[in-house]
Amino acid sequence: MTDTAFADPAGTWNRRFADDGFLFGTAPNGWLREHAGVWQPGQRVLCVADGEGRNSVWLARQGLVVDAFDIAEVGVAKARRLAAEQGVDVNFAVCDCDTFPWPDAAYDGVAAIFIQFADPALRMRLFAHIRRCLKPGGTLVLQGYTPRQLAYRTGGPAIESHLYTEALLREAFAETDITALREYEADLEEGSGHRGRSALIGLVARRRREAA
Ligand SMILES: C[S@@+](CC[C@H](N)C(=O)[O-])C[C@H]1O[C@@H](n2cnc3c(N)ncnc32)[C@H](O)[C@@H]1O
């Protein structure tokens, strides 16, 4: 992504989502699929910056009650159509992550998949919102790229400060119980947007219950 892309994220992503296909496919992200068993049917999950809806629609199909938002109205319109086609309800909103209402302690889960549009200042605000909107005992499932992805260029922003390391995530989620944190490489086939050898990182972190 270029600096212009970050100056006008809604315009940039609306253009990227304008084609008929799904930029990241319609199947859910692999790390999310692998770890979605942390949530039980009927629980309430928020999908952050869900784009064209592949993750929120799949989570709704697993029986979860799903809220999702994204800044790009073109993406959200496609997500609504995908949900209708697959016969599930998702409560979608077109929203910037800084203006999303972020209810306190409301969600059993948050799915944050490839939200590396956030520079360090925005990321700090975004991660604080994510930590706070989880109920005590609620779980975050997050996937992103590590700086090694700069050599692959198969997806994600080409700006090192947007990428995650284990140390960065460990510090950001120090007050949660981290149940999985893994840097790894894989060959992604998530639409044309995330395709090929990729340097990935995945996190699963549970908000602590209040001490009695
Ligand atoms: C790499 S895509 C990932 C989409 C989706 N999470 C997925 O895995 O398919 C990044 C998404 O972030 C959204 N986005 C960018 N800036 C945003 C912001 N400030 N607030 C909310 N969404 C934003 C884009 O519209 C895009 O859908």
Side-chain angles (χ1 to χ4, degrees):
M1 280 173 78
T2 62
D3 286 351
T4 331
F6 294 110
D8 177 21
T12 299
W13 283 99
N14 278 329
R15 282 188 293 280
R16 289 179 181 165
F17 291 146
D19 289 344
D20 281 345
F22 282 74
L23 185 58
F24 304 110
T26 54
N29 164 258
W31 179 263
L32 178 65
R33 183 195 282 269
E34 192 183 325
H35 294 280
V38 294
W39 305 309
Q40 305 308 312
Q43 288 192 319
R44 190 174 174 207
V45 172
L46 173 67
C47 274
V48 177
D50 187 49
E52 297 166 305
R54 64 183 178 129
N55 298 312
S56 57
V57 168
W58 182 78
L59 288 171
R61 290 185 63 188
Q62 310 314 301
L64 293 156
V65 177
V66 185
D67 291 346
F69 72 89
D70 195 278
I71 201 170
E73 63 193 72
V74 173
V76 174
K78 288 168 84 174
R80 289 186 205 279
R81 287 199 294 276
L82 185 65
E85 277 164 26
Q86 301 207 4
V88 290
D89 287 324
V90 174
N91 177 31
F92 288 112
V94 177
C95 206
D96 186 310
C97 60
D98 264 339
T99 54
F100 183 72
W102 296 107
D104 261 358
Y107 292 105
D108 300 291
V110 172
I113 306 301
F114 295 121
I115 58 165
Q116 291 174 304
F117 55 82
D119 65 18
L122 177 54
R123 181 172 65 228
M124 195 175 291
R125 298 195 294 279
L126 185 49
F127 282 180
H129 287 309
I130 289 173
R131 291 191 303 263
R132 241 192 350 265
C133 81
L134 282 168
K135 294 176 186 172
T139 302
L140 165 68
V141 175
L142 173 143
Q143 166 103 98
Y145 292 109
T146 70
R148 287 207 314 276
Q149 177 66 7
L150 295 173
Y152 289 126
R153 306 296 291 265
T154 50
I159 302 180
E160 186 160 1
S161 62
H162 288 226
L163 304 177
Y164 307 151
T165 61
E166 279 195 16
L168 184 152
L169 292 180
R170 221 174 259 296
E171 185 181 341
F173 293 96
E175 290 177 12
T176 68
D177 290 324
I178 293 177
T179 56
L181 177 56
R182 181 151 60 94
E183 282 193 33
Y184 61 103
E185 296 202 353
D187 296 310
L188 287 193
E189 285 187 41
E190 300 192 352
S192 59
H194 290 157
R195 179 170 293 269
R197 196 71 187 160
S198 305
L200 299 162
I201 187 163
L203 171 78
V204 180
R206 194 169 50 228
R207 182 171 176 174
R208 290 191 185 134
R209 296 178 194 278
E210 314 295 326

